[in-house]
Amino acid sequence: MSLTRSVQQKLSATLPYEELLPYEQPAYVHSYVYLFGIATLASFILLIVSGIVLAAFGPQWWHFSTVGHFLNSTHYWSVQAFFFFMVVHLWATFFQGAWRDGRGLTWVVGVMTFLASILTAFTGYISQQNFDAQWIAVQGKDALNAVGVGAFFNVLNFGQMYGYHIFILPLVVGALISAHLLLVRMRGVVRPYDDAMADEVRS
Amino acid sequence: MTPDFMNAPAHYFHAGFILISVANLIVIVLMVLVFILAVLLPFPGGRKTER
């Protein structure tokens, strides 16, 4: 069998088209507590859109123009929302035991997304080009030196940190979020501990 | 123009070994509150169908 054909068959077996955008959900998903994952994703999309505009116009623009201030603030408050919803999503999935029934990888990819997001936020804070950024960079430098990776990352180098923030780390976070979403679609939302409603569906 | 509260040191909550900025404390309290409300409040709408 050709490689293309085996990949195609594997994909259609694990990711059937009709499972990707379901219009039916199990009845137990009918609760506000299941909305925090999608709220995190919505914040991420707002972050990417506002980030693209900021990157296109640059630091002079975001510091010295009214619209630049607005977009800078949009980016800042989006990241507050992103972490806010991600932490509440983490609590919700933790108390549901969302790693049960073969969903361990979904959980692990979520944890990796959280860690990669912290690095992205850190490089973002030190890309602000203000006194806050300088203070955080100097504190961060000591932390990186203490764990022995100071030779690879110069957090006082705006260019290097900005590159990580707007290119490398968003790609990593975006890829991890995509993998997380695909795993959720492939394995579904975990059944509640009390699964009295587990076989009901809502549309 | 920078608002006045951004040009001043942060306020801190200090009780025994717990030391946390008021800003961080507010965010944590809000997250707990939103989580509890999301669990307790009934979700509106939705047509129920049996599989």
Side-chain angles (χ1 to χ4, degrees), chain A residues 11 14-17 19-22 41 103 105-106 109 174-189:
Chain A
L11 279 178
T14 51
L15 287 171
Y17 175 72
E19 295 281 320
L20 285 174
L21 285 173
L41 181 65
R103 294 178 179 83
L105 191 60
T106 317
V109 171
L176 286 170
I177 288 177
S178 306
H180 190 69
L181 286 172
L182 280 177
L183 284 166
V184 171
R185 285 275 40 92
M186 283 159 62
R187 292 161 186 196
V189 181

PDB file of all heavy atoms in Angstrom, chain A residues 11 14-17 19-22 41 103 105-106 109 174-189:
ATOM      1  N   LEU A  11      -6.378   8.608   8.434  1.00  0.00           N
ATOM      2  CA  LEU A  11      -7.047   9.873   8.771  1.00  0.00           C
ATOM      3  C   LEU A  11      -8.565   9.724   8.730  1.00  0.00           C
ATOM      4  O   LEU A  11      -9.258  10.191   9.628  1.00  0.00           O
ATOM      5  CB  LEU A  11      -6.614  10.986   7.805  1.00  0.00           C
ATOM      6  CG  LEU A  11      -5.275  11.660   8.111  1.00  0.00           C
ATOM      7  CD1 LEU A  11      -4.958  12.691   7.043  1.00  0.00           C
ATOM      8  CD2 LEU A  11      -5.286  12.309   9.488  1.00  0.00           C
ATOM      9  N   THR A  14      -9.678   7.772  11.813  1.00  0.00           N
ATOM     10  CA  THR A  14      -9.586   8.420  13.130  1.00  0.00           C
ATOM     11  C   THR A  14     -10.279   9.777  13.163  1.00  0.00           C
ATOM     12  O   THR A  14     -10.686  10.235  14.217  1.00  0.00           O
ATOM     13  CB  THR A  14      -8.114   8.619  13.548  1.00  0.00           C
ATOM     14  OG1 THR A  14      -7.431   9.258  12.476  1.00  0.00           O
ATOM     15  CG2 THR A  14      -7.439   7.317  13.895  1.00  0.00           C
ATOM     16  N   LEU A  15     -10.387  10.448  12.002  1.00  0.00           N
ATOM     17  CA  LEU A  15     -11.001  11.774  11.953  1.00  0.00           C
ATOM     18  C   LEU A  15     -12.103  11.817  10.894  1.00  0.00           C
ATOM     19  O   LEU A  15     -11.984  12.549   9.903  1.00  0.00           O
ATOM     20  CB  LEU A  15      -9.942  12.841  11.591  1.00  0.00           C
ATOM     21  CG  LEU A  15      -8.931  13.234  12.637  1.00  0.00           C
ATOM     22  CD1 LEU A  15      -7.877  14.122  12.014  1.00  0.00           C
ATOM     23  CD2 LEU A  15      -9.609  13.956  13.782  1.00  0.00           C
ATOM     24  N   PRO A  16     -13.180  11.056  11.090  1.00  0.00           N
ATOM     25  CA  PRO A  16     -14.240  11.104  10.074  1.00  0.00           C
ATOM     26  C   PRO A  16     -14.817  12.519   9.975  1.00  0.00           C
ATOM     27  O   PRO A  16     -14.976  13.197  10.991  1.00  0.00           O
ATOM     28  CB  PRO A  16     -15.273  10.107  10.597  1.00  0.00           C
ATOM     29  CG  PRO A  16     -14.941   9.874  12.019  1.00  0.00           C
ATOM     30  CD  PRO A  16     -13.497  10.170  12.203  1.00  0.00           C
ATOM     31  N   TYR A  17     -15.107  12.939   8.744  1.00  0.00           N
ATOM     32  CA  TYR A  17     -15.540  14.305   8.461  1.00  0.00           C
ATOM     33  C   TYR A  17     -16.734  14.714   9.319  1.00  0.00           C
ATOM     34  O   TYR A  17     -16.784  15.812   9.862  1.00  0.00           O
ATOM     35  CB  TYR A  17     -15.883  14.411   6.966  1.00  0.00           C
ATOM     36  CG  TYR A  17     -16.449  15.731   6.563  1.00  0.00           C
ATOM     37  CD1 TYR A  17     -15.640  16.860   6.517  1.00  0.00           C
ATOM     38  CD2 TYR A  17     -17.793  15.860   6.226  1.00  0.00           C
ATOM     39  CE1 TYR A  17     -16.157  18.091   6.165  1.00  0.00           C
ATOM     40  CE2 TYR A  17     -18.316  17.076   5.865  1.00  0.00           C
ATOM     41  CZ  TYR A  17     -17.499  18.190   5.831  1.00  0.00           C
ATOM     42  OH  TYR A  17     -18.020  19.397   5.485  1.00  0.00           O
ATOM     43  N   GLU A  19     -17.503  13.937  12.208  1.00  0.00           N
ATOM     44  CA  GLU A  19     -17.216  14.116  13.633  1.00  0.00           C
ATOM     45  C   GLU A  19     -16.563  15.465  13.921  1.00  0.00           C
ATOM     46  O   GLU A  19     -16.463  15.874  15.074  1.00  0.00           O
ATOM     47  CB  GLU A  19     -16.267  13.009  14.122  1.00  0.00           C
ATOM     48  CG  GLU A  19     -16.862  11.621  14.082  1.00  0.00           C
ATOM     49  CD  GLU A  19     -17.795  11.354  15.243  1.00  0.00           C
ATOM     50  OE1 GLU A  19     -17.479  11.785  16.360  1.00  0.00           O
ATOM     51  OE2 GLU A  19     -18.853  10.731  15.017  1.00  0.00           O
ATOM     52  N   LEU A  20     -16.084  16.162  12.871  1.00  0.00           N
ATOM     53  CA  LEU A  20     -15.270  17.361  13.095  1.00  0.00           C
ATOM     54  C   LEU A  20     -16.095  18.533  13.598  1.00  0.00           C
ATOM     55  O   LEU A  20     -15.648  19.293  14.448  1.00  0.00           O
ATOM     56  CB  LEU A  20     -14.514  17.744  11.816  1.00  0.00           C
ATOM     57  CG  LEU A  20     -13.315  16.844  11.504  1.00  0.00           C
ATOM     58  CD1 LEU A  20     -12.707  17.197  10.169  1.00  0.00           C
ATOM     59  CD2 LEU A  20     -12.256  16.932  12.597  1.00  0.00           C
ATOM     60  N   LEU A  21     -17.290  18.766  13.033  1.00  0.00           N
ATOM     61  CA  LEU A  21     -18.141  19.865  13.487  1.00  0.00           C
ATOM     62  C   LEU A  21     -19.492  19.290  13.896  1.00  0.00           C
ATOM     63  O   LEU A  21     -20.469  19.401  13.169  1.00  0.00           O
ATOM     64  CB  LEU A  21     -18.307  20.919  12.388  1.00  0.00           C
ATOM     65  CG  LEU A  21     -17.131  21.842  12.136  1.00  0.00           C
ATOM     66  CD1 LEU A  21     -17.370  22.705  10.913  1.00  0.00           C
ATOM     67  CD2 LEU A  21     -16.868  22.733  13.342  1.00  0.00           C
ATOM     68  N   PRO A  22     -19.564  18.660  15.056  1.00  0.00           N
ATOM     69  CA  PRO A  22     -20.793  17.984  15.439  1.00  0.00           C
ATOM     70  C   PRO A  22     -21.904  18.984  15.775  1.00  0.00           C
ATOM     71  O   PRO A  22     -21.621  20.058  16.300  1.00  0.00           O
ATOM     72  CB  PRO A  22     -20.388  17.204  16.695  1.00  0.00           C
ATOM     73  CG  PRO A  22     -19.245  17.956  17.255  1.00  0.00           C
ATOM     74  CD  PRO A  22     -18.544  18.602  16.105  1.00  0.00           C
ATOM     75  N   LEU A  41     -10.181  29.640  23.419  1.00  0.00           N
ATOM     76  CA  LEU A  41      -9.879  29.664  21.978  1.00  0.00           C
ATOM     77  C   LEU A  41     -10.261  31.017  21.370  1.00  0.00           C
ATOM     78  O   LEU A  41      -9.503  31.581  20.563  1.00  0.00           O
ATOM     79  CB  LEU A  41     -10.635  28.536  21.274  1.00  0.00           C
ATOM     80  CG  LEU A  41     -10.401  28.415  19.770  1.00  0.00           C
ATOM     81  CD1 LEU A  41      -8.953  28.042  19.472  1.00  0.00           C
ATOM     82  CD2 LEU A  41     -11.335  27.399  19.146  1.00  0.00           C
ATOM     83  N   ARG A 103      -8.187   9.452  27.533  1.00  0.00           N
ATOM     84  CA  ARG A 103      -8.014  10.852  27.142  1.00  0.00           C
ATOM     85  C   ARG A 103      -6.744  11.457  27.741  1.00  0.00           C
ATOM     86  O   ARG A 103      -6.634  12.683  27.838  1.00  0.00           O
ATOM     87  CB  ARG A 103      -9.235  11.675  27.567  1.00  0.00           C
ATOM     88  CG  ARG A 103     -10.498  11.272  26.825  1.00  0.00           C
ATOM     89  CD  ARG A 103     -11.700  12.064  27.286  1.00  0.00           C
ATOM     90  NE  ARG A 103     -12.884  11.694  26.552  1.00  0.00           N
ATOM     91  CZ  ARG A 103     -13.649  10.646  26.852  1.00  0.00           C
ATOM     92  NH1 ARG A 103     -13.345   9.874  27.869  1.00  0.00           N
ATOM     93  NH2 ARG A 103     -14.716  10.358  26.120  1.00  0.00           N
ATOM     94  N   LEU A 105      -3.703  11.732  26.560  1.00  0.00           N
ATOM     95  CA  LEU A 105      -2.940  12.597  25.660  1.00  0.00           C
ATOM     96  C   LEU A 105      -3.593  13.975  25.529  1.00  0.00           C
ATOM     97  O   LEU A 105      -2.892  14.994  25.444  1.00  0.00           O
ATOM     98  CB  LEU A 105      -2.804  11.924  24.282  1.00  0.00           C
ATOM     99  CG  LEU A 105      -1.815  12.581  23.327  1.00  0.00           C
ATOM    100  CD1 LEU A 105      -0.405  12.597  23.910  1.00  0.00           C
ATOM    101  CD2 LEU A 105      -1.800  11.879  21.972  1.00  0.00           C
ATOM    102  N   THR A 106      -4.947  14.021  25.531  1.00  0.00           N
ATOM    103  CA  THR A 106      -5.651  15.309  25.468  1.00  0.00           C
ATOM    104  C   THR A 106      -5.234  16.175  26.655  1.00  0.00           C
ATOM    105  O   THR A 106      -4.936  17.368  26.506  1.00  0.00           O
ATOM    106  CB  THR A 106      -7.184  15.087  25.518  1.00  0.00           C
ATOM    107  OG1 THR A 106      -7.524  14.003  24.673  1.00  0.00           O
ATOM    108  CG2 THR A 106      -7.929  16.334  25.105  1.00  0.00           C
ATOM    109  N   VAL A 109      -1.469  17.277  26.296  1.00  0.00           N
ATOM    110  CA  VAL A 109      -1.300  18.347  25.300  1.00  0.00           C
ATOM    111  C   VAL A 109      -1.834  19.672  25.864  1.00  0.00           C
ATOM    112  O   VAL A 109      -1.255  20.738  25.630  1.00  0.00           O
ATOM    113  CB  VAL A 109      -1.994  17.976  23.964  1.00  0.00           C
ATOM    114  CG1 VAL A 109      -2.009  19.148  23.003  1.00  0.00           C
ATOM    115  CG2 VAL A 109      -1.281  16.804  23.321  1.00  0.00           C
ATOM    116  N   GLY A 174      -0.175  27.576  18.766  1.00  0.00           N
ATOM    117  CA  GLY A 174      -1.218  27.302  17.765  1.00  0.00           C
ATOM    118  C   GLY A 174      -1.269  25.822  17.409  1.00  0.00           C
ATOM    119  O   GLY A 174      -2.350  25.228  17.327  1.00  0.00           O
ATOM    120  N   ALA A 175      -0.074  25.207  17.234  1.00  0.00           N
ATOM    121  CA  ALA A 175      -0.023  23.782  16.886  1.00  0.00           C
ATOM    122  C   ALA A 175      -0.564  22.936  18.034  1.00  0.00           C
ATOM    123  O   ALA A 175      -1.319  21.975  17.817  1.00  0.00           O
ATOM    124  CB  ALA A 175       1.413  23.371  16.557  1.00  0.00           C
ATOM    125  N   LEU A 176      -0.190  23.305  19.265  1.00  0.00           N
ATOM    126  CA  LEU A 176      -0.654  22.532  20.432  1.00  0.00           C
ATOM    127  C   LEU A 176      -2.169  22.665  20.600  1.00  0.00           C
ATOM    128  O   LEU A 176      -2.857  21.683  20.898  1.00  0.00           O
ATOM    129  CB  LEU A 176       0.067  23.009  21.704  1.00  0.00           C
ATOM    130  CG  LEU A 176       1.529  22.572  21.837  1.00  0.00           C
ATOM    131  CD1 LEU A 176       2.204  23.290  22.996  1.00  0.00           C
ATOM    132  CD2 LEU A 176       1.634  21.063  22.036  1.00  0.00           C
ATOM    133  N   ILE A 177      -2.704  23.898  20.399  1.00  0.00           N
ATOM    134  CA  ILE A 177      -4.158  24.088  20.516  1.00  0.00           C
ATOM    135  C   ILE A 177      -4.872  23.266  19.441  1.00  0.00           C
ATOM    136  O   ILE A 177      -5.885  22.609  19.718  1.00  0.00           O
ATOM    137  CB  ILE A 177      -4.527  25.584  20.411  1.00  0.00           C
ATOM    138  CG1 ILE A 177      -4.092  26.328  21.687  1.00  0.00           C
ATOM    139  CG2 ILE A 177      -6.033  25.770  20.203  1.00  0.00           C
ATOM    140  CD1 ILE A 177      -4.343  27.809  21.668  1.00  0.00           C
ATOM    141  N   SER A 178      -4.333  23.265  18.205  1.00  0.00           N
ATOM    142  CA  SER A 178      -4.944  22.480  17.129  1.00  0.00           C
ATOM    143  C   SER A 178      -4.965  20.999  17.491  1.00  0.00           C
ATOM    144  O   SER A 178      -5.985  20.312  17.315  1.00  0.00           O
ATOM    145  CB  SER A 178      -4.171  22.660  15.817  1.00  0.00           C
ATOM    146  OG  SER A 178      -4.057  24.028  15.516  1.00  0.00           O
ATOM    147  N   ALA A 179      -3.818  20.499  18.029  1.00  0.00           N
ATOM    148  CA  ALA A 179      -3.746  19.092  18.415  1.00  0.00           C
ATOM    149  C   ALA A 179      -4.747  18.797  19.527  1.00  0.00           C
ATOM    150  O   ALA A 179      -5.435  17.770  19.509  1.00  0.00           O
ATOM    151  CB  ALA A 179      -2.323  18.753  18.874  1.00  0.00           C
ATOM    152  N   HIS A 180      -4.855  19.726  20.488  1.00  0.00           N
ATOM    153  CA  HIS A 180      -5.781  19.566  21.619  1.00  0.00           C
ATOM    154  C   HIS A 180      -7.225  19.472  21.103  1.00  0.00           C
ATOM    155  O   HIS A 180      -7.981  18.591  21.512  1.00  0.00           O
ATOM    156  CB  HIS A 180      -5.605  20.767  22.551  1.00  0.00           C
ATOM    157  CG  HIS A 180      -6.295  20.650  23.876  1.00  0.00           C
ATOM    158  ND1 HIS A 180      -5.895  19.775  24.851  1.00  0.00           N
ATOM    159  CD2 HIS A 180      -7.350  21.328  24.402  1.00  0.00           C
ATOM    160  CE1 HIS A 180      -6.688  19.907  25.909  1.00  0.00           C
ATOM    161  NE2 HIS A 180      -7.584  20.843  25.665  1.00  0.00           N
ATOM    162  N   LEU A 181      -7.584  20.375  20.179  1.00  0.00           N
ATOM    163  CA  LEU A 181      -8.949  20.379  19.633  1.00  0.00           C
ATOM    164  C   LEU A 181      -9.241  19.096  18.859  1.00  0.00           C
ATOM    165  O   LEU A 181     -10.316  18.504  18.995  1.00  0.00           O
ATOM    166  CB  LEU A 181      -9.144  21.585  18.710  1.00  0.00           C
ATOM    167  CG  LEU A 181      -9.289  22.933  19.411  1.00  0.00           C
ATOM    168  CD1 LEU A 181      -9.269  24.055  18.390  1.00  0.00           C
ATOM    169  CD2 LEU A 181     -10.573  22.979  20.219  1.00  0.00           C
ATOM    170  N   LEU A 182      -8.259  18.645  18.037  1.00  0.00           N
ATOM    171  CA  LEU A 182      -8.446  17.410  17.279  1.00  0.00           C
ATOM    172  C   LEU A 182      -8.638  16.222  18.221  1.00  0.00           C
ATOM    173  O   LEU A 182      -9.496  15.367  17.991  1.00  0.00           O
ATOM    174  CB  LEU A 182      -7.244  17.157  16.358  1.00  0.00           C
ATOM    175  CG  LEU A 182      -7.226  17.953  15.055  1.00  0.00           C
ATOM    176  CD1 LEU A 182      -5.946  17.670  14.278  1.00  0.00           C
ATOM    177  CD2 LEU A 182      -8.433  17.593  14.196  1.00  0.00           C
ATOM    178  N   LEU A 183      -7.840  16.194  19.307  1.00  0.00           N
ATOM    179  CA  LEU A 183      -7.968  15.090  20.271  1.00  0.00           C
ATOM    180  C   LEU A 183      -9.333  15.117  20.949  1.00  0.00           C
ATOM    181  O   LEU A 183      -9.928  14.063  21.178  1.00  0.00           O
ATOM    182  CB  LEU A 183      -6.848  15.187  21.318  1.00  0.00           C
ATOM    183  CG  LEU A 183      -5.466  14.741  20.827  1.00  0.00           C
ATOM    184  CD1 LEU A 183      -4.379  15.192  21.784  1.00  0.00           C
ATOM    185  CD2 LEU A 183      -5.422  13.224  20.678  1.00  0.00           C
ATOM    186  N   VAL A 184      -9.830  16.335  21.255  1.00  0.00           N
ATOM    187  CA  VAL A 184     -11.161  16.440  21.872  1.00  0.00           C
ATOM    188  C   VAL A 184     -12.211  15.921  20.890  1.00  0.00           C
ATOM    189  O   VAL A 184     -13.127  15.184  21.267  1.00  0.00           O
ATOM    190  CB  VAL A 184     -11.464  17.890  22.300  1.00  0.00           C
ATOM    191  CG1 VAL A 184     -12.916  18.036  22.733  1.00  0.00           C
ATOM    192  CG2 VAL A 184     -10.559  18.316  23.446  1.00  0.00           C
ATOM    193  N   ARG A 185     -12.063  16.260  19.597  1.00  0.00           N
ATOM    194  CA  ARG A 185     -13.027  15.796  18.598  1.00  0.00           C
ATOM    195  C   ARG A 185     -12.942  14.283  18.404  1.00  0.00           C
ATOM    196  O   ARG A 185     -13.945  13.618  18.215  1.00  0.00           O
ATOM    197  CB  ARG A 185     -12.805  16.503  17.261  1.00  0.00           C
ATOM    198  CG  ARG A 185     -13.281  17.922  17.249  1.00  0.00           C
ATOM    199  CD  ARG A 185     -14.779  18.092  16.932  1.00  0.00           C
ATOM    200  NE  ARG A 185     -15.666  17.123  17.534  1.00  0.00           N
ATOM    201  CZ  ARG A 185     -16.276  17.264  18.712  1.00  0.00           C
ATOM    202  NH1 ARG A 185     -16.088  18.340  19.423  1.00  0.00           N
ATOM    203  NH2 ARG A 185     -17.068  16.325  19.193  1.00  0.00           N
ATOM    204  N   MET A 186     -11.697  13.733  18.441  1.00  0.00           N
ATOM    205  CA  MET A 186     -11.518  12.302  18.210  1.00  0.00           C
ATOM    206  C   MET A 186     -12.030  11.478  19.382  1.00  0.00           C
ATOM    207  O   MET A 186     -12.604  10.411  19.208  1.00  0.00           O
ATOM    208  CB  MET A 186     -10.028  11.982  17.988  1.00  0.00           C
ATOM    209  CG  MET A 186      -9.526  12.354  16.606  1.00  0.00           C
ATOM    210  SD  MET A 186      -7.739  12.531  16.554  1.00  0.00           S
ATOM    211  CE  MET A 186      -7.192  10.906  16.995  1.00  0.00           C
ATOM    212  N   ARG A 187     -11.806  11.979  20.615  1.00  0.00           N
ATOM    213  CA  ARG A 187     -12.124  11.164  21.796  1.00  0.00           C
ATOM    214  C   ARG A 187     -13.363  11.640  22.527  1.00  0.00           C
ATOM    215  O   ARG A 187     -13.820  10.968  23.454  1.00  0.00           O
ATOM    216  CB  ARG A 187     -10.918  11.165  22.753  1.00  0.00           C
ATOM    217  CG  ARG A 187      -9.758  10.421  22.129  1.00  0.00           C
ATOM    218  CD  ARG A 187      -8.443  10.734  22.756  1.00  0.00           C
ATOM    219  NE  ARG A 187      -7.373  10.088  21.992  1.00  0.00           N
ATOM    220  CZ  ARG A 187      -6.161   9.914  22.429  1.00  0.00           C
ATOM    221  NH1 ARG A 187      -5.834  10.327  23.627  1.00  0.00           N
ATOM    222  NH2 ARG A 187      -5.259   9.330  21.683  1.00  0.00           N
ATOM    223  N   GLY A 188     -13.892  12.799  22.149  1.00  0.00           N
ATOM    224  CA  GLY A 188     -15.114  13.312  22.764  1.00  0.00           C
ATOM    225  C   GLY A 188     -14.881  13.882  24.152  1.00  0.00           C
ATOM    226  O   GLY A 188     -13.779  13.807  24.697  1.00  0.00           O
ATOM    227  N   VAL A 189     -15.952  14.472  24.715  1.00  0.00           N
ATOM    228  CA  VAL A 189     -15.892  15.051  26.057  1.00  0.00           C
ATOM    229  C   VAL A 189     -16.115  13.929  27.067  1.00  0.00           C
ATOM    230  O   VAL A 189     -16.972  13.074  26.869  1.00  0.00           O
ATOM    231  CB  VAL A 189     -16.973  16.151  26.200  1.00  0.00           C
ATOM    232  CG1 VAL A 189     -16.915  16.772  27.584  1.00  0.00           C
ATOM    233  CG2 VAL A 189     -16.799  17.207  25.126  1.00  0.00           C
TER     234      VAL A 189
END
